C-alpha cells in the first residue's frame, strides 16, 4: 500500500466504493464520474503506479487483472455486445490516479476511440 493513494485506500476498504467484484488480488468498482452507461475500474490491490512500472515479476498479476476484467464484463452482462478497455498511462495518457487501473466501458456503441 502506498500512502496517499486513493485506490490503495479503496482496496483497503477505508474509502467506500461501488464494488462490483473482488478477489484476493483485484477489486472492481464503479467509476465515480462514468463516461459510459457501464464504467467500471478494475485495479490490482497491490500498488503499482503505472502500466510502465510493470516488471517481469508482475506478469502473472497483470494477466490475472486482464482476465478478471473479462470476468467482470460477463458479470455485468456486457461481454456479448462488447466493451472497451483502457489503461491511461502517465501525463500524455491522461492518467490522473497513479495506481494502475483498467477502465471497462460499455453499454452503448462507444464510437471512434480517439478524437482528432
Ligand atoms: P485516469 O484518468 O485513467 O487516472 O482515471 C481515474 C478515474 O478514477 C477517473 O475516471 C475518475 O472518475 C475515477 N475516480 C477517481 N476517484 C474515484 C473514486 N473515489 N471512486 C471511483 N472512481 C474514482
Amino acid at each position: 500500500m502506498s500512502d496517499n493513494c486513493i485506490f490503495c485506500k479503496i482496496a483497503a476498504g477505508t474509502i467506500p466504493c461501488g464494488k462490483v467484484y473482488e478477489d484476493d488480488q483485484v477489486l472492481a468498482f464503479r467509476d465515480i464520474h462514468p463516461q459510459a452507461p457501464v464504467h467500471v475500474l478494475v485495479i490490482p490491490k497491490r500498488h503499482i503506479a503505472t502500466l510502465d512500472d510493470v516488471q517481469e515479476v508482475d506478469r502473472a498479476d497483470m494477466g490475472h487483472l486482464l482476465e478478471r476484467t473479462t470476468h467482470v464484463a460477463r458479470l455485468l452482462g456486457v461481454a456479448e455486445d462488447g466493451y472497451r478497455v483502457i489503461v491511461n498511462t502517465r501525463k500524455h495518457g491522461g492518467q490522473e490516479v497513479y495506481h494502475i487501473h483498467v477502465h471497462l466501458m460499455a453499454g452503448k456503441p462507444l464510437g471512434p476511440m480517439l478524437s482528432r
Side-chain angles (χ1 to χ4, degrees):
M1 174 154 173
S2 174
D3 290 347
N4 299 320
C5 171
I6 187 168
F7 286 179
C8 280
K9 289 176 182 166
I10 288 174
T14 55
I15 290 179
C17 71
K19 180 167 76 177
V20 298
Y21 175 80
E22 179 175 25
D23 69 12
D24 59 331
Q25 291 182 44
V26 306
L27 175 68
F29 54 96
R30 306 260 179 204
D31 195 293
I32 206 165
H33 295 126
Q35 305 294 312
V38 171
H39 187 172
V40 166
L41 303 175
V42 190
I43 66 168
K45 291 184 174 178
R46 185 165 63 86
H47 184 84
I48 301 174
T50 83
L51 187 63
D52 196 59
D53 294 301
V54 168
Q55 306 289 313
E56 202 172 330
V57 68
D58 302 317
R59 271 186 186 171
D61 288 358
M62 292 299 103
H64 183 74
L65 178 69
L66 209 49
E67 188 279 331
R68 288 293 85 185
T69 300
T70 72
H71 177 73
V72 171
R74 287 193 298 277
L75 271 183
L76 296 175
V78 300
E80 192 172 329
D81 282 341
Y83 50 88
R84 179 169 293 161
V85 162
I86 297 174
V87 182
N88 294 325
T89 302
R90 295 192 177 142
K91 188 171 59 175
H92 284 192
Q95 185 174 4
E96 292 175 0
V97 177
Y98 276 64
H99 179 130
I100 288 184
H101 48 282
V102 177
H103 291 261
L104 169 61
M105 304 167 84
K108 67 172 187 181
L110 295 172
M113 191 171 69
L114 296 173
S115 53
R116 292 168 197 269

